[in-house]
Amino acid sequence: MAIEPREAYRALTRQSRELATLASCSAVLGWDEQTYMPAGGAEHRGTQMAMLAGLQHERATDPRIGELLAIVEGSPLVHDPDSFEAADIREWRRGYDRRTRLPRSLVEDMARTTSMAQSEWVAARTASDFDRFRPWLERIIRLKRDEASCLAVSGSGDSSYDPLLDDYEPGARSDDLTELFRALREELTPLVASITEAAARRGSDEAILNRSYPRDRQRIFGEAVAAAVGFDFHRGRLDVTAHPFCSGIGPGDCRITTRFDEHEFSEAFFGILHEVGHGLYEQGLDASRYGTPTGEAVSLGVHESQSRLWENLVGRSRAFWSYWLPMARRIFHEALSDVTLDRFHAAVNRVEPSLIRVRADEATYNLHIIVRFELERALLAGDLDAADVPTAWNEKYREFLGVEPKNDAEGCLQDIHWSAGLIGYFPTYTLGNVYAAQLFSAAGSQLGDLDTAFAQGDFVGLLGWLREKIHHQGQRYRAADLIRRVTGSPPDHRPLLDNLRRKYTELNNL
Ligand code: ZN
């Protein structure tokens, strides 16, 4: 018996909620694994996770979804493409097609290969021996090519890379990113060189941040700042893990993590602010649409824009520290009693070309990403052999950053992503920085003087703006479209460069 489009839409919503609820069970188990699970629980946890993954896959590829989609597509529900219903239907279709186009054998092969490749990567990195990892990278590239060809929609874009990118940044095209990143790099490389030169002339204050900062006090200060910018600890919590992350488990439950080092203030503090930015996005999603695309984050790039905005554009601003430094001085009296606002602001904004992405500063970070984006695109296209990755990597580091790794551990083996099959993921970090600068500049012109608000400890205006413009929209628009609607401009590298120039001119009198 035929059912009405409205009814089909409701059935799809129920399905989608159940799937999200199942995924959230995996998320709790994943969080627990990283935080409190005893080592002995690993094997049973693996069984639990595999069972949940199997259940999710079964439900997500149920042919009934295809039948229901056929009823709602072409119905009046999709007449207004800007409606939440039309967006849900568009994204359900995208997800369903992606899942059903991949043969089960390929999915299983990928899971097996990447699971082994990750432990081989750990061993290869420890030994700093790329050759040990090379056969695994070759297998992963082959599997990823197969994946891309199963998912490719004929006649559009780079068929070997775009379908992979689409998993993290739906609708993005690598040709557009190549253009955006080229324009960014052309100006960023000389800008970094002049900032570094000026900083060398001025002398460095970074040692301030390596004084003694007791861990328990770092936690108190970090939580105070997190709560003040709007992270709701009634609906979230902060724990300690080896690798910081944010997990939005569901309405009312968002977990963030960090790690503390007594002689390294920045890592935990800016790590917390970064994850808080992700957490504010999760806490700001429309709970009434939970489990449907319009109640979920739109893309990794936009997610990262939220974390970078709070970490870098708010958290490294002079106005922010003019409010927080007095409290930091009271909490870290021994470390900071003799430190002025100018010195502290300069210390948290130090720029230095370096080899390791996760330790890179705000200005050089994107150059690390562009190296990876260019290499993985060339690998997929067959323009670069896995065996030539170390040489190509080192050449690009010399060219973009003026530094060269002494070995593979501090070169092409430093990131887990490729071993985990995460190809097409790296560019979303730089998209995040680009979007963050665009959003911050739009917020500034729409809300007025943000610095005055920050200097008074007032972050409510900015958060409210982000809630309305970004968080509540969910996946209503694709990322690039959302950015254009909110800022009036498509993805654009210039606000990022303008921000950096303004800050470092002030700091260095360039
Ligand atoms: Zn992040």
Side-chain angles (χ1 to χ4, degrees):
M1 193 180 81
I3 63 171
E4 294 299 316
R6 243 316 130 194
E7 203 181 318
Y9 177 80
R10 277 196 293 270
L12 283 162
T13 301
R14 267 195 308 277
Q15 282 260 14
S16 190
R17 287 224 164 98
E18 281 180 14
L19 261 173
T21 305
L22 265 176
S24 76
C25 295
S26 304
V28 177
L29 292 179
W31 170 84
D32 176 71
E33 189 175 334
Q34 307 283 321
T35 49
Y36 296 109
M37 186 188 80
E43 198 177 334
H44 183 59
R45 182 54 44 88
T47 311
Q48 294 173 308
M49 295 291 263
M51 186 174 170
L52 282 170
L55 276 172
Q56 284 172 62
H57 178 78
E58 209 173 280
R59 294 212 170 195
T61 54
D62 183 346
R64 178 81 181 134
I65 297 177
E67 292 163 23
L68 292 167
L69 279 171
I71 296 169
V72 292
E73 285 168 339
S75 80
L77 285 169
V78 298
H79 282 180
D80 173 9
D82 289 347
S83 70
F84 284 102
E85 288 83 1
D88 283 336
I89 292 164
R90 180 192 72 221
E91 295 306 322
W92 280 328
R93 164 60 70 191
R94 174 184 159 273
Y96 183 70
D97 283 352
R98 282 188 72 89
R99 287 187 295 266
T100 51
R101 278 181 192 150
L102 291 178
R104 197 179 180 116
S105 58
L106 180 59
V107 173
E108 286 170 358
D109 200 357
M110 186 74 82
R112 249 193 326 271
T113 305
T114 52
S115 156
M116 288 184 288
Q118 283 174 70
S119 49
E120 287 300 314
W121 164 74
V122 171
R125 190 178 65 160
T126 307
S128 193
D129 178 7
F130 177 77
D131 275 340
R132 180 163 179 177
F133 180 59
R134 183 183 45 78
W136 293 96
L137 182 58
E138 283 166 352
R139 281 180 69 175
I140 287 169
I141 296 296
R142 269 201 302 277
L143 288 170
K144 282 283 159 183
R145 273 202 202 114
D146 291 347
E147 184 182 320
S149 70
C150 291
L151 296 173
V153 181
S154 60
S156 71
D158 176 346
S159 60
S160 69
Y161 193 84
D162 286 2
L164 306 177
L165 175 65
D166 192 76
D167 204 10
Y168 313 108
E169 198 66 18
R173 292 160 48 97
S174 49
D175 286 341
D176 297 338
L177 297 192
T178 300
E179 193 46 42
L180 179 72
F181 291 178
R182 187 196 52 74
L184 178 61
R185 184 172 66 77
E186 272 177 12
E187 292 187 55
L188 197 50
T189 298
L191 179 61
V192 164
S194 69
I195 293 171
T196 318
E197 242 170 66
R201 276 200 309 274
R202 197 188 63 225
S204 167
D205 262 338
E206 62 179 282
I208 293 169
L209 304 172
N210 301 123
R211 293 174 176 176
S212 174
Y213 294 88
R215 286 187 180 81
D216 53 343
R217 296 194 207 169
Q218 284 193 53
R219 185 181 181 117
I220 290 167
F221 183 62
E223 287 188 339
V225 175
V229 300
F231 186 78
D232 181 354
F233 279 95
H234 178 65
R235 299 188 297 142
R237 50 178 295 130
L238 169 71
D239 292 275
V240 175
T241 50
H243 303 286
F245 62 87
C246 166
S247 182
I249 286 165
D253 191 352
C254 173
R255 318 278 175 101
I256 58 172
T257 72
T258 192
R259 57 183 164 207
F260 295 105
D261 175 343
E262 184 170 343
H263 293 286
E264 174 47 86
F265 173 81
S266 289
E267 185 168 5
F269 182 79
F270 291 105
I272 290 172
L273 261 191
H274 181 99
E275 302 307 335
V276 158
H278 285 303
L280 291 172
Y281 191 6
E282 291 291 326
Q283 291 186 333
L285 294 170
D286 183 350
S288 72
R289 308 195 69 86
Y290 170 70
T292 69
T294 48
E296 285 169 6
V298 59
S299 74
L300 287 191
V302 173
H303 226 305
E304 192 69 3
S305 77
Q306 302 304 291
S307 59
R308 295 295 180 167
L309 185 145
W310 290 99
E311 174 193 359
N312 289 330
L313 301 174
V314 179
R316 293 182 203 271
S317 70
R318 200 172 190 286
F320 177 89
W321 285 107
S322 76
Y323 180 79
W324 286 107
L325 187 61
M327 186 201 263
R329 268 199 213 105
R330 286 196 294 277
I331 294 181
F332 308 109
H333 182 74
E334 281 160 30
L336 294 175
S337 59
D338 64 334
V339 175
T340 61
L341 176 59
D342 283 339
R343 285 181 69 204
F344 192 81
H345 183 224
V348 297
N349 283 292
R350 183 180 60 96
V351 171
E352 186 181 30
S354 64
L355 295 166
I356 306 295
R357 173 184 64 86
V358 296
R359 296 193 174 279
D361 55 75
E362 180 188 5
T364 58
Y365 190 90
N366 298 304
L367 297 170
H368 292 258
I369 295 304
I370 298 170
V371 169
R372 288 152 177 79
F373 171 67
E374 291 188 1
L375 294 183
E376 63 183 21
R377 227 190 138 182
L379 280 167
L380 261 301
D383 296 336
L384 175 68
D385 287 334
D388 297 326
V389 164
T391 313
W393 182 285
N394 296 353
E395 272 170 16
K396 285 203 187 290
Y397 263 78
R398 207 169 41 229
E399 185 192 346
F400 296 178
L401 285 143
V403 293
E404 198 176 329
K406 287 189 296 295
N407 56 54
D408 297 336
E410 60 180 32
C412 63
L413 286 176
Q414 65 182 271
D415 298 304
I416 193 172
H417 300 62
W418 289 344
S419 71
L422 300 175
I423 295 178
Y425 189 113
F426 280 124
T428 66
Y429 292 116
T430 284
L431 274 179
N433 287 322
V434 167
Y435 294 162
Q438 287 184 264
L439 290 171
F440 194 67
S441 133
S445 50
Q446 291 172 32
L447 296 171
D449 186 8
L450 289 175
D451 276 346
T452 304
F454 297 167
Q456 293 165 354
D458 176 2
F459 305 97
V460 172
L462 177 60
L463 180 57
W465 188 87
L466 291 168
R467 287 261 189 270
E468 178 200 334
K469 307 283 181 187
I470 304 290
H471 306 172
H472 277 283
Q473 302 300 321
Q475 298 180 10
R476 186 175 179 188
Y477 309 107
R478 291 271 167 84
D481 190 21
L482 177 67
I483 294 300
R484 187 184 54 76
R485 286 168 184 269
V486 176
T487 69
S489 157
D492 181 356
H493 64 290
R494 286 169 300 186
L496 188 155
L497 290 163
D498 291 344
N499 270 328
L500 288 174
R501 277 197 198 98
R502 203 174 313 118
K503 181 191 287 181
Y504 289 97
T505 303
E506 184 192 328
L507 273 168
N508 292 330
N509 294 317
L510 282 176

